Amino acid sequence: MHLSLYDTLNREKRPFVPLDPANVRMYVCGPTVYDFAHIGNARPVIVFDVLFRLLRHLYGADHVKYVRNITDVEDKINDRAARDFPGLPLNEAIRKVTELTEKQFHDDVDALGCLRPTVEPRATEHIAEMRTIIDKLVQGGFAYVAEDHVLFSPQAMNAANSILPRYGTLANRSLDEMIAGARVDVAPYKRDATDFVLWKPSKPGEPSWPSPSGIKAEGRPGWHVECSAMAWKHLGEQFDIHGGGIDLVFPHHENELAQSCCAFHESRMANVWMHNGFLQVEGDKMSKSLGNFVTIRDLLADWPGEVLRLNMLKTHYRSPIDWTLKGVEESAKTLDDWYWVAADVKGERPSDAVVEALSDDLNTPQMIALLHSLRNNAASGNDRDRSEFAASLRFLGFLSESAAQWKSRKQQASGIDMKKVDSLISDRTAARARKDFKESDRIRDELAAMGVVIKDSKEGTTWEIAR
Ligand code: AMP
Ligand code: ZN
């Protein structure tokens, strides 16, 4: 079976050759944890989960390492923490926000049938590696210290006469054009408009860490260097696949690539750069800032996660998706039928044709067409046909429930407004944080009246339907 993948950097589909087939390594940029993830955020999670499953199938489960980070230091997190927990010291409030959001994210993507990555590093646990990279960049002449900031200089990178790639190659933009098009109101500490931040001072009360050499005051890292550091720590100076949404190509991935190549004197960071296309909802662009985003949680209130997963995979990962209610309804019908045909069937080996379709740059539309014909074989054929169909579905992250569970869960989910439950629980958490126990008890009673039992633990509050 030959795997080929489209590489954003070389702009072509190429045969995939791992650096070390006994240790295939993939890094995907993960969530910034301050709010519920939206259905657009679910796309890279599902797409790269399918790739992870395929790689495990091709190279062996123990020979694939998938790293997806958690960005737990960022302005938006600080703002949310100050808003939600005004009575707490900022650092404590931040920890509450990131822990709660991380748990919500895990619950959501588990429900979407995604395997957990091999490692999920947190940015705040890799500050030492970030400082090391920054020091290397300064020593190499690619970065400089100015007014307690450290800035990376793309122009210094491109002036270096060496094996380094040219800045702008990934995004297919020329540095000269970027310089010409740069904004006029550039921060005064930057030598050139295209320089970007590796390290910056923290405001009083904000999270801060000892700074790289040459800066006395404590500070915090820029976003791009976080991923360079975590990828380096867990996957080495070079690895096989780097993924994320198409919006990350520039500046995030261009900058990651620049930092890592310059720090380690390498010609490349990853062998293959993969990017999923954007998701829009009912024909409209979705964005957190416009406030029209649909969270995974909202959708899970109405649909089993596997329905959302199937709906996502109907479109090839590099094309844009228009997420519509009609599409989700069709996916639900398909899965009801698949459960009916195969739910309680034991499966051994997924179909070769399915694996082959995925091996062609994750051709999931073709894979789904194949599943429909496997379904027909299974419905009219023998035990082998049914086993092949069931095994193919499980390999792809479907059929995690029995036929009976599938039916009863669908009924339950329709009875309770999960969105309301989540919003009441977060109100209650806030009430408890400000020691308003009267209000928190009242909310607990309101939830009980809805048939919802809540449980508090160190990790946060979970709920279940009262039996
Ligand atoms: P963010 O939390 O915005 O950094 O996004 C996390 C991941 O979701 C990144 O890989 C983004 O590229 C991806 N992403 C964000 N919005 C969308 C969208 N509307 N469609 C597809 N992917 C998205
Ligand atoms: Zn990243």
Side-chain angles (χ1 to χ4, degrees):
M1 201 80 59
H2 292 292
L3 171 59
S4 52
L5 297 171
Y6 183 87
D7 175 24
T8 308
L9 197 144
N10 288 291
R11 286 168 267 282
E12 63 181 7
K13 195 155 77 174
R14 313 166 124 202
F16 175 71
V17 184
L19 292 164
D20 173 4
N23 183 20
V24 180
R25 287 159 288 162
M26 170 162 83
Y27 186 93
V28 174
C29 297
T32 304
V33 282
Y34 67 98
D35 203 350
F36 284 106
H38 60 62
I39 187 64
N41 301 136
R43 193 168 190 197
V45 178
I46 294 174
V47 163
F48 290 102
D49 177 67
V50 170
L51 179 55
F52 182 38
R53 287 168 184 268
L54 176 65
L55 293 170
R56 285 160 60 99
H57 181 79
L58 297 176
Y59 295 96
D62 296 338
H63 301 291
V64 182
K65 190 168 183 187
Y66 172 20
V67 179
R68 185 183 63 211
N69 72 291
I70 288 179
T71 298
D72 59 352
V73 45
E74 230 256 326
D75 286 342
K76 288 184 204 136
I77 300 174
N78 301 350
D79 296 346
R80 180 59 61 106
R83 191 194 85 181
D84 285 1
F85 302 99
L88 289 182
L90 186 59
N91 280 302
E92 230 172 281
I94 286 172
R95 206 176 54 242
K96 281 206 183 292
V97 169
T98 55
E99 280 176 1
L100 181 66
T101 313
E102 189 181 318
K103 185 176 179 311
Q104 288 163 348
F105 176 74
H106 279 145
D107 290 348
D108 287 350
V109 301
D110 289 351
L112 295 174
C114 298
L115 302 172
R116 294 282 177 99
T118 323
V119 189
E120 279 195 286
R122 283 189 198 81
T124 52
E125 290 167 7
H126 295 75
I127 305 284
E129 286 80 4
M130 296 176 205
R131 261 197 312 265
T132 304
I133 290 182
I134 294 172
D135 284 342
K136 281 176 186 285
L137 291 172
V138 173
Q139 280 157 18
F142 301 106
Y144 59 94
V145 176
E147 295 183 24
D148 290 346
H149 292 69
V150 186
L151 284 309
F152 184 95
S153 164
Q155 302 201 54
M157 175 179 177
N158 280 9
N161 190 10
S162 68
I163 58 160
L164 296 174
R166 296 187 72 73
Y167 185 85
T169 310
L170 181 68
N172 204 10
R173 300 183 189 196
S174 97
L175 185 55
D176 287 343
E177 277 165 26
M178 288 185 227
I179 295 166
R183 297 216 320 257
V184 204
D185 54 338
V186 177
Y189 45 80
K190 289 192 183 178
R191 285 184 194 158
D192 294 298
T194 48
D195 297 350
F196 63 86
V197 169
L198 298 170
W199 190 267
K200 58 191 168 188
S202 299
K203 297 193 195 88
E206 278 182 354
S208 65
W209 293 269
S211 293
S213 315
I215 303 176
K216 280 211 192 72
E218 294 208 331
R220 60 198 175 111
W223 174 36
H224 314 304
V225 79
E226 295 178 7
C227 285
S228 283
M230 289 182 269
W232 173 44
K233 168 79 185 282
H234 298 282
L235 299 177
E237 294 180 0
Q238 269 192 35
F239 50 94
D240 296 294
I241 300 170
H242 194 318
I246 189 86
D247 58 319
L248 298 187
V249 173
F250 192 87
H252 185 53
H253 287 169
E254 189 75 54
N255 291 353
E256 275 188 40
L257 188 157
Q259 294 158 169
S260 294
C261 289
C262 292
F264 307 124
H265 303 287
E266 297 277 12
S267 59
R268 55 173 68 127
M269 179 184 189
N271 263 348
V272 188
W273 289 83
M274 293 178 67
H275 295 96
N276 63 270
F278 242 48
L279 175 148
Q280 54 171 26
V281 173
E282 307 286 354
D284 272 330
K285 180 172 181 275
M286 180 178 56
S287 85
K288 283 186 184 174
S289 58
L290 292 177
N292 69 339
F293 66 90
V294 189
T295 63
I296 302 173
R297 201 50 76 95
D298 291 336
L299 289 164
L300 286 173
D302 296 332
W303 309 97
E306 290 183 18
V307 167
L308 309 178
R309 182 178 179 90
L310 176 62
N311 200 53
M312 195 69 87
L313 296 176
K314 286 199 299 205
T315 308
H316 187 263
Y317 78 93
R318 282 195 282 123
S319 306
I321 287 193
D322 188 21
W323 185 272
T324 63
L325 178 60
K326 191 165 164 281
V328 180
E329 284 169 349
E330 280 164 12
S331 301
K333 276 202 198 112
T334 303
L335 262 177
D336 284 345
D337 173 61
W338 289 355
Y339 260 87
W340 180 70
V341 174
D344 297 330
V345 175
K346 280 210 173 58
E348 277 165 24
R349 249 174 65 93
S351 134
D352 285 343
V354 163
V355 175
E356 217 165 289
L358 287 181
S359 299
D360 177 16
D361 193 31
L362 301 185
N363 191 341
T364 56
Q366 196 198 336
M367 165 200 95
I368 290 171
L370 288 165
L371 288 173
H372 283 300
S373 67
L374 289 174
R375 178 258 175 232
N376 291 340
N377 295 349
S380 61
N382 56 26
D383 283 351
R384 240 197 81 234
D385 297 320
R386 275 185 287 282
S387 157
E388 186 176 42
F389 180 49
S392 301
L393 289 175
R394 291 205 184 91
F395 161 60
L396 295 164
F398 299 108
L399 240 53
S400 62
E401 299 181 6
S402 68
Q405 279 171 326
W406 180 257
K407 252 195 173 155
S408 79
R409 214 169 57 85
K410 274 184 66 185
Q411 283 159 0
Q412 277 183 356
S414 58
I416 287 185
D417 181 349
M418 285 167 69
K419 201 173 154 193
K420 173 122 192 265
V421 171
D422 283 319
S423 117
L424 283 170
I425 287 178
S426 82
D427 290 350
R428 179 171 166 274
T429 307
R432 276 156 52 100
R434 56 172 198 270
K435 300 212 168 11
D436 184 354
F437 295 114
K438 205 168 145 217
E439 174 66 0
S440 84
D441 287 349
R442 189 198 64 72
I443 296 174
R444 176 187 283 267
D445 292 345
E446 189 181 336
L447 285 163
M450 290 167 67
V452 168
V453 187
I454 51 180
K455 223 173 83 193
D456 296 308
S457 73
K458 266 209 327 280
E459 288 80 39
T461 303
T462 52
W463 65 274
E464 54 188 44
I465 298 164
R467 296 191 197 281

mmCIF file of all heavy atoms in Angstrom, residues 170-192:
data_model
loop_
_atom_site.group_PDB
_atom_site.id
_atom_site.type_symbol
_atom_site.label_atom_id
_atom_site.label_comp_id
_atom_site.label_asym_id
_atom_site.label_seq_id
_atom_site.Cartn_x
_atom_site.Cartn_y
_atom_site.Cartn_z
ATOM 1 N N LEU A 170 6.887 28.580 2.541
ATOM 2 C CA LEU A 170 5.697 27.773 2.846
ATOM 3 C C LEU A 170 4.431 28.484 2.363
ATOM 4 O O LEU A 170 3.573 27.898 1.707
ATOM 5 C CB LEU A 170 5.613 27.500 4.357
ATOM 6 C CG LEU A 170 4.423 26.656 4.802
ATOM 7 C CD1 LEU A 170 4.557 25.216 4.302
ATOM 8 C CD2 LEU A 170 4.271 26.655 6.322
ATOM 9 N N ALA A 171 4.351 29.773 2.679
ATOM 10 C CA ALA A 171 3.151 30.530 2.316
ATOM 11 C C ALA A 171 3.212 31.019 0.866
ATOM 12 O O ALA A 171 2.260 31.616 0.379
ATOM 13 C CB ALA A 171 2.982 31.716 3.259
ATOM 14 N N ASN A 172 4.346 30.783 0.213
ATOM 15 C CA ASN A 172 4.503 31.207 -1.179
ATOM 16 C C ASN A 172 4.378 32.735 -1.308
ATOM 17 O O ASN A 172 3.693 33.247 -2.181
ATOM 18 C CB ASN A 172 3.443 30.513 -2.050
ATOM 19 C CG ASN A 172 3.883 30.432 -3.501
ATOM 20 O OD1 ASN A 172 5.035 30.721 -3.810
ATOM 21 N ND2 ASN A 172 2.967 30.065 -4.380
ATOM 22 N N ARG A 173 5.041 33.414 -0.383
ATOM 23 C CA ARG A 173 5.051 34.880 -0.428
ATOM 24 C C ARG A 173 6.503 35.326 -0.427
ATOM 25 O O ARG A 173 7.330 34.701 0.231
ATOM 26 C CB ARG A 173 4.415 35.490 0.834
ATOM 27 C CG ARG A 173 2.995 35.099 1.060
ATOM 28 C CD ARG A 173 2.495 35.837 2.293
ATOM 29 N NE ARG A 173 1.184 35.320 2.665
ATOM 30 C CZ ARG A 173 0.354 35.937 3.484
ATOM 31 N NH1 ARG A 173 0.695 37.087 4.046
ATOM 32 N NH2 ARG A 173 -0.807 35.428 3.782
ATOM 33 N N SER A 174 6.794 36.412 -1.102
ATOM 34 C CA SER A 174 8.183 36.860 -1.073
ATOM 35 C C SER A 174 8.363 37.892 0.042
ATOM 36 O O SER A 174 7.471 38.696 0.311
ATOM 37 C CB SER A 174 8.590 37.440 -2.428
ATOM 38 O OG SER A 174 8.472 38.835 -2.405
ATOM 39 N N LEU A 175 9.521 37.783 0.687
ATOM 40 C CA LEU A 175 9.790 38.684 1.810
ATOM 41 C C LEU A 175 9.791 40.138 1.320
ATOM 42 O O LEU A 175 9.298 41.036 2.011
ATOM 43 C CB LEU A 175 11.121 38.309 2.471
ATOM 44 C CG LEU A 175 11.499 39.083 3.727
ATOM 45 C CD1 LEU A 175 10.417 39.031 4.796
ATOM 46 C CD2 LEU A 175 12.814 38.552 4.301
ATOM 47 N N ASP A 176 10.304 40.363 0.125
ATOM 48 C CA ASP A 176 10.326 41.735 -0.399
ATOM 49 C C ASP A 176 8.916 42.313 -0.493
ATOM 50 O O ASP A 176 8.682 43.463 -0.142
ATOM 51 C CB ASP A 176 10.973 41.769 -1.794
ATOM 52 C CG ASP A 176 12.483 41.556 -1.683
ATOM 53 O OD1 ASP A 176 13.003 41.711 -0.550
ATOM 54 O OD2 ASP A 176 13.119 41.223 -2.699
ATOM 55 N N GLU A 177 7.995 41.473 -0.957
ATOM 56 C CA GLU A 177 6.605 41.949 -1.032
ATOM 57 C C GLU A 177 6.040 42.216 0.355
ATOM 58 O O GLU A 177 5.301 43.161 0.573
ATOM 59 C CB GLU A 177 5.725 40.908 -1.735
ATOM 60 C CG GLU A 177 5.796 40.996 -3.252
ATOM 61 C CD GLU A 177 5.229 39.746 -3.908
ATOM 62 O OE1 GLU A 177 4.369 39.077 -3.289
ATOM 63 O OE2 GLU A 177 5.681 39.448 -5.017
ATOM 64 N N MET A 178 6.401 41.345 1.298
ATOM 65 C CA MET A 178 5.911 41.549 2.668
ATOM 66 C C MET A 178 6.456 42.855 3.225
ATOM 67 O O MET A 178 5.750 43.585 3.907
ATOM 68 C CB MET A 178 6.360 40.400 3.572
ATOM 69 C CG MET A 178 5.641 39.105 3.318
ATOM 70 S SD MET A 178 6.189 37.902 4.546
ATOM 71 C CE MET A 178 6.505 36.509 3.507
ATOM 72 N N ILE A 179 7.723 43.140 2.933
ATOM 73 C CA ILE A 179 8.328 44.385 3.426
ATOM 74 C C ILE A 179 7.608 45.568 2.791
ATOM 75 O O ILE A 179 7.207 46.514 3.481
ATOM 76 C CB ILE A 179 9.839 44.427 3.098
ATOM 77 C CG1 ILE A 179 10.567 43.311 3.853
ATOM 78 C CG2 ILE A 179 10.443 45.793 3.446
ATOM 79 C CD1 ILE A 179 11.975 43.042 3.359
ATOM 80 N N ALA A 180 7.392 45.472 1.488
ATOM 81 C CA ALA A 180 6.732 46.578 0.786
ATOM 82 C C ALA A 180 5.315 46.800 1.307
ATOM 83 O O ALA A 180 4.852 47.936 1.430
ATOM 84 C CB ALA A 180 6.707 46.290 -0.713
ATOM 85 N N GLY A 181 4.630 45.701 1.661
ATOM 86 C CA GLY A 181 3.229 45.827 2.081
ATOM 87 C C GLY A 181 3.051 46.021 3.571
ATOM 88 O O GLY A 181 1.926 46.061 4.060
ATOM 89 N N ALA A 182 4.175 46.147 4.319
ATOM 90 C CA ALA A 182 4.075 46.186 5.781
ATOM 91 C C ALA A 182 3.351 47.446 6.249
ATOM 92 O O ALA A 182 3.398 48.484 5.604
ATOM 93 C CB ALA A 182 5.467 46.131 6.393
ATOM 94 N N ARG A 183 2.692 47.316 7.381
ATOM 95 C CA ARG A 183 1.977 48.461 7.944
ATOM 96 C C ARG A 183 2.970 49.538 8.381
ATOM 97 O O ARG A 183 4.132 49.263 8.649
ATOM 98 C CB ARG A 183 1.175 48.002 9.161
ATOM 99 C CG ARG A 183 0.099 46.983 8.807
ATOM 100 C CD ARG A 183 -1.144 47.206 9.660
ATOM 101 N NE ARG A 183 -0.820 47.532 11.045
ATOM 102 C CZ ARG A 183 -0.919 46.654 12.050
ATOM 103 N NH1 ARG A 183 -1.301 45.421 11.814
ATOM 104 N NH2 ARG A 183 -0.635 47.016 13.280
ATOM 105 N N VAL A 184 2.491 50.763 8.453
ATOM 106 C CA VAL A 184 3.385 51.864 8.810
ATOM 107 C C VAL A 184 3.587 51.954 10.326
ATOM 108 O O VAL A 184 4.681 52.242 10.794
ATOM 109 C CB VAL A 184 2.831 53.216 8.291
ATOM 110 C CG1 VAL A 184 3.958 54.222 8.112
ATOM 111 C CG2 VAL A 184 2.044 53.025 7.008
ATOM 112 N N ASP A 185 2.522 51.662 11.094
ATOM 113 C CA ASP A 185 2.625 51.837 12.547
ATOM 114 C C ASP A 185 3.259 50.605 13.197
ATOM 115 O O ASP A 185 2.643 49.894 13.969
ATOM 116 C CB ASP A 185 1.238 52.105 13.158
ATOM 117 C CG ASP A 185 0.223 51.019 12.759
ATOM 118 O OD1 ASP A 185 0.464 50.359 11.735
ATOM 119 O OD2 ASP A 185 -0.776 50.860 13.475
ATOM 120 N N VAL A 186 4.532 50.393 12.872
ATOM 121 C CA VAL A 186 5.246 49.231 13.404
ATOM 122 C C VAL A 186 5.744 49.544 14.813
ATOM 123 O O VAL A 186 6.161 50.674 15.087
ATOM 124 C CB VAL A 186 6.439 48.897 12.478
ATOM 125 C CG1 VAL A 186 7.244 47.749 13.037
ATOM 126 C CG2 VAL A 186 5.941 48.590 11.083
ATOM 127 N N ALA A 187 5.688 48.524 15.706
ATOM 128 C CA ALA A 187 6.165 48.723 17.080
ATOM 129 C C ALA A 187 7.590 49.269 17.048
ATOM 130 O O ALA A 187 8.415 48.806 16.256
ATOM 131 C CB ALA A 187 6.116 47.398 17.829
ATOM 132 N N PRO A 188 7.875 50.271 17.922
ATOM 133 C CA PRO A 188 9.159 50.979 17.849
ATOM 134 C C PRO A 188 10.379 50.099 18.105
ATOM 135 O O PRO A 188 11.470 50.395 17.622
ATOM 136 C CB PRO A 188 9.039 52.057 18.937
ATOM 137 C CG PRO A 188 7.915 51.602 19.818
ATOM 138 C CD PRO A 188 6.993 50.798 18.954
ATOM 139 N N TYR A 189 10.194 48.989 18.855
ATOM 140 C CA TYR A 189 11.358 48.154 19.161
ATOM 141 C C TYR A 189 11.730 47.232 18.000
ATOM 142 O O TYR A 189 12.736 46.533 18.052
ATOM 143 C CB TYR A 189 11.112 47.348 20.447
ATOM 144 C CG TYR A 189 9.747 46.714 20.505
ATOM 145 C CD1 TYR A 189 9.482 45.531 19.827
ATOM 146 C CD2 TYR A 189 8.712 47.315 21.213
ATOM 147 C CE1 TYR A 189 8.224 44.958 19.859
ATOM 148 C CE2 TYR A 189 7.451 46.748 21.250
ATOM 149 C CZ TYR A 189 7.210 45.570 20.574
ATOM 150 O OH TYR A 189 5.967 45.013 20.595
ATOM 151 N N LYS A 190 10.939 47.191 16.927
ATOM 152 C CA LYS A 190 11.276 46.315 15.798
ATOM 153 C C LYS A 190 12.244 47.013 14.844
ATOM 154 O O LYS A 190 12.029 48.164 14.481
ATOM 155 C CB LYS A 190 10.007 45.945 15.016
ATOM 156 C CG LYS A 190 9.097 44.998 15.754
ATOM 157 C CD LYS A 190 8.023 44.452 14.820
ATOM 158 C CE LYS A 190 7.083 43.555 15.592
ATOM 159 N NZ LYS A 190 5.999 43.027 14.751
ATOM 160 N N ARG A 191 13.289 46.285 14.433
ATOM 161 C CA ARG A 191 14.202 46.864 13.445
ATOM 162 C C ARG A 191 13.532 46.925 12.084
ATOM 163 O O ARG A 191 13.704 47.865 11.324
ATOM 164 C CB ARG A 191 15.458 46.001 13.323
ATOM 165 C CG ARG A 191 16.387 46.173 14.508
ATOM 166 C CD ARG A 191 17.661 45.363 14.287
ATOM 167 N NE ARG A 191 18.382 45.264 15.538
ATOM 168 C CZ ARG A 191 19.276 44.334 15.822
ATOM 169 N NH1 ARG A 191 19.566 43.399 14.922
ATOM 170 N NH2 ARG A 191 19.874 44.317 16.980
ATOM 171 N N ASP A 192 12.806 45.867 11.751
ATOM 172 C CA ASP A 192 12.095 45.821 10.469
ATOM 173 C C ASP A 192 10.645 45.437 10.722
ATOM 174 O O ASP A 192 10.352 44.699 11.668
ATOM 175 C CB ASP A 192 12.730 44.774 9.542
ATOM 176 C CG ASP A 192 14.126 45.177 9.137
ATOM 177 O OD1 ASP A 192 14.270 46.229 8.480
ATOM 178 O OD2 ASP A 192 15.074 44.459 9.516
#
